Amino acid sequence: MVAEPGGPDDEKPQSDEAHSAFSWPAGTEPAAPSEEDHPTSEFALPEGVTPEPPAPGSGSGTGSASGSETTGSAFATPSTYSFRDSPPAFTPAYGVPMVRLTKEAPWQDRMRTMLRMPVAERPAPEPVQRHDEEAGPPVPRVLDLTLRIGELLLAGGEGAEDVEAAMFAVMRSYGLDRCEPTVTFTLLSISHQPSLVDDPVTASRTVRRRGTDYTRLAAVFRLIDDITTADDEVSLEEAYRRLAEIRRNRHPYPGWVLTLAAGGLAGAASVLVGGGPLVFVIAALGAMLGDRLAWLCAGRGLPEFYQFAIAAMPPAAMGVALTLTHWSDVRPSAVITGGLFALLPGRALVAGVQDGLTGYYITASARLLEVMYFFIAIVTGVLLALYGGLQLGAELDPEARFITHDRPVIQILASMLLTLAFAILLQQERATVLAVTLNGGVAWIIYGAMARTGNLSAVAATAAAAGLVGLFGQLFSRYRYTSSLPYITAAIGPLLPGSATYFGLLGVAQNELDRGLASLSTAVATALAIAIGVNLGSEISRLFMRVPGAVGGANRRAAKRTRGF
């Protein structure tokens, strides 16, 4: 039976469940809240202030019932916006130009072009080598192979940008996209992200020992060229096998040949600065003795700094001994200068300056610091010998000047012999020795024509000759699809500042610091001119060749653009 409204059921008290546990009891009034419990928002309008009405069409704001407050949308277009004066969009209206890499260009140019692109503009990889379509490429093995190849290149003296280009080429050939290689002086690392939702995979490898062997360097370049070529199928197992053969391969020249090459280099350098046949023999003997002492110290685990210091002492000691015997027909300065030519670290200097010019400043700083330590070691060894000779009464004349302009044919032949000996010391392939020897002879002809015949600045003439060496070296490397170092490093041997270094050290030993520091400054400027000239010649060779870049004649990108040019 349903109760009627107003009946006795309505007057019954409600149960306890009907009352809220937080409700006020009947007959009591709640106290008014204090202002401290409800602070005013700092964005609220003060009392007595009326907001301005919104401008018509100024966003999507809606007024309240009282019309005193208007709230605008955060995504509404500002009142001052005009589509005619809008700033340029990040992505242009016509889109990002599509990039197609030509297959005819060497892999070095193609990969260098990609490294200088923003990540968003790089084209998708076209795997050259086959792999399982369902499982995809084996990422850990590809990364390990890439790091091992990069380790051999970096240990052989290759520049940081070229090492990154080689690593990038190997990864893309095996189908890995979104990879970023990083190269420093002693550390190689790769970061690979399979997709936008997967965790990245990172691998690294440390270069603990470096050695000069351009034959091994050329073999690694041939392996990379085969990997990046679609005509040759190189599986991961085959690449590992060939890489192991390269690492186990012996040097093309035995130790006694290298010692003879060091003597030939010093003797040719002494003739280049005015020495005769007797000076050639004495300088060669001093350099060979220093080379054998350095090999002995290396076998005992002595650091390389002391090896250079000990190797620099025998040629300087022989020059001092010739001064003490008062031989008028022998130039002691030519003997000491020839010994310095065999020790100056031209290869490391060129690589360090090249890394700096291409934007790899950490690697460049480490390489140049290494060059500075080697130079200090050479200075220490020579200064010890010169100081000992001065204490014994040797009369070394810092004002002596070499007679070099009256024998151009002999000097050209000496420069070519010096380049040949330098190429043997660098363990170059026999097929490249003739080309680099001719390149060194041409460099000396350019230098002699500008500095000796044209009476131009020696630093400017050195830079021009080094630029020609870099240009020819890059052309040779593009023709042979290999590294440019075997065609460049030995060819700059005749241009090294051996005489300026000797006169600077002699001035310091005789406590004539002004003259000594001025001569050493000339030596430093000449060395930098060599390195910059080599890099500039290489860039000029790429400047006038076809660029494997964007369709429509896009400009070549710089290595590192810090100011957006």
Side-chain angles (χ1 to χ4, degrees), residues 261-295:
L265 192 155
S270 65
V271 174
L272 201 63
V273 294
L278 185 58
V279 171
F280 179 93
V281 174
I282 297 175
L285 291 176
M288 287 189 291
L289 179 59
D291 182 77
R292 285 291 93 189
L293 289 177
W295 277 87

Side-chain angles (χ1 to χ4, degrees), residues 7 13 63 74 104 117 134 219 240 258 278 300 376 435 441 453 464-465 485 493:
E104 294 80 10
M117 288 181 185
E134 297 181 359
Y240 269 108
L258 298 181
L278 185 58
R300 298 296 184 270
I376 293 175
T453 305
L485 288 181

Side-chain angles (χ1 to χ4, degrees), residues 112-138:
R112 188 181 291 109
T113 302
M114 292 198 60
L115 284 175
R116 296 181 180 184
M117 288 181 185
V119 178
E121 298 182 13
R122 291 175 182 172
E126 298 178 2
V128 176
Q129 305 300 328
R130 298 178 182 178
H131 57 78
D132 190 356
E133 297 294 340
E134 297 181 359

Side-chain angles (χ1 to χ4, degrees), residues 262-539:
L265 192 155
S270 65
V271 174
L272 201 63
V273 294
L278 185 58
V279 171
F280 179 93
V281 174
I282 297 175
L285 291 176
M288 287 189 291
L289 179 59
D291 182 77
R292 285 291 93 189
L293 289 177
W295 277 87
L296 181 62
C297 295
R300 298 296 184 270
L302 201 64
E304 204 168 11
F305 177 87
Y306 301 104
Q307 297 176 26
F308 271 81
I310 293 175
M313 295 179 67
M318 284 194 170
V320 172
L322 290 176
T323 304
L324 293 174
T325 56
H326 302 286
W327 283 15
S328 58
D329 297 336
V330 178
R331 293 177 176 271
S333 57
V335 174
I336 301 175
T337 301
L340 291 177
F341 265 89
L343 296 174
L344 291 177
R347 173 183 58 86
L349 176 67
V350 171
V353 175
Q354 181 179 359
D355 287 341
L357 294 176
T358 51
Y360 295 84
Y361 302 116
I362 297 178
T363 308
S365 301
R367 289 184 189 271
L368 294 178
L369 184 62
E370 182 187 37
V371 171
M372 185 187 72
Y373 272 106
F374 289 163
F375 190 77
I376 293 175
I378 297 171
V379 167
T380 303
V382 174
L383 282 181
L384 287 175
L386 293 180
Y387 184 75
L390 293 176
Q391 297 302 317
L392 295 175
E395 298 179 358
L396 298 172
D397 186 10
E399 297 293 337
R401 289 294 179 263
F402 300 132
I403 303 174
T404 56
H405 60 275
D406 56 346
R407 320 183 286 177
V409 177
I410 296 178
Q411 291 171 10
I412 293 174
L413 294 177
S415 66
M416 295 178 68
L417 178 60
L418 189 153
T419 305
L420 174 63
F422 205 172
I424 295 175
L425 286 176
L426 295 174
Q427 301 280 1
Q428 290 191 199
E429 291 182 310
R430 293 177 175 85
T432 64
V433 169
L434 179 59
V436 71
T437 301
L438 295 177
N439 200 7
V442 171
W444 181 258
I445 291 174
I446 298 299
Y447 171 79
M450 296 181 64
R452 307 289 168 76
T453 305
N455 294 325
L456 298 179
S457 171
V459 177
T462 302
L468 195 63
V469 168
L471 176 62
F472 286 167
Q474 194 62 229
L475 293 176
F476 281 130
S477 68
R478 288 176 63 92
Y479 176 73
R480 299 290 298 271
Y481 284 79
T482 184
S483 173
S484 61
L485 288 181
Y487 302 98
I488 290 177
T489 307
I492 64 173
L495 305 176
L496 292 176
S499 59
T501 303
Y502 163 70
F503 284 122
L505 297 180
L506 183 58
V508 173
Q510 293 181 340
N511 203 20
E512 298 179 358
L513 296 181
D514 294 340
R515 182 167 50 198
L517 293 179
S519 185
L520 289 177
S521 300
T522 303
V524 173
T526 303
L528 292 178
I530 293 173
I532 295 175
V534 167
N535 181 264
L536 182 61
S538 301
E539 293 296 331

Side-chain angles (χ1 to χ4, degrees), residues 121-177:
E121 298 182 13
R122 291 175 182 172
E126 298 178 2
V128 176
Q129 305 300 328
R130 298 178 182 178
H131 57 78
D132 190 356
E133 297 294 340
E134 297 181 359
V139 176
R141 297 195 66 193
V142 173
L143 296 184
D144 181 71
L145 175 67
T146 304
L147 288 174
R148 291 177 183 272
I149 290 177
E151 178 190 10
L152 285 179
L153 293 178
L154 188 61
E158 195 66 57
E161 187 180 27
D162 294 329
V163 175
E164 283 194 2
M167 297 169 64
F168 206 71
V170 174
M171 290 184 296
R172 291 181 67 88
S173 298
Y174 284 106
L176 294 187
D177 195 10

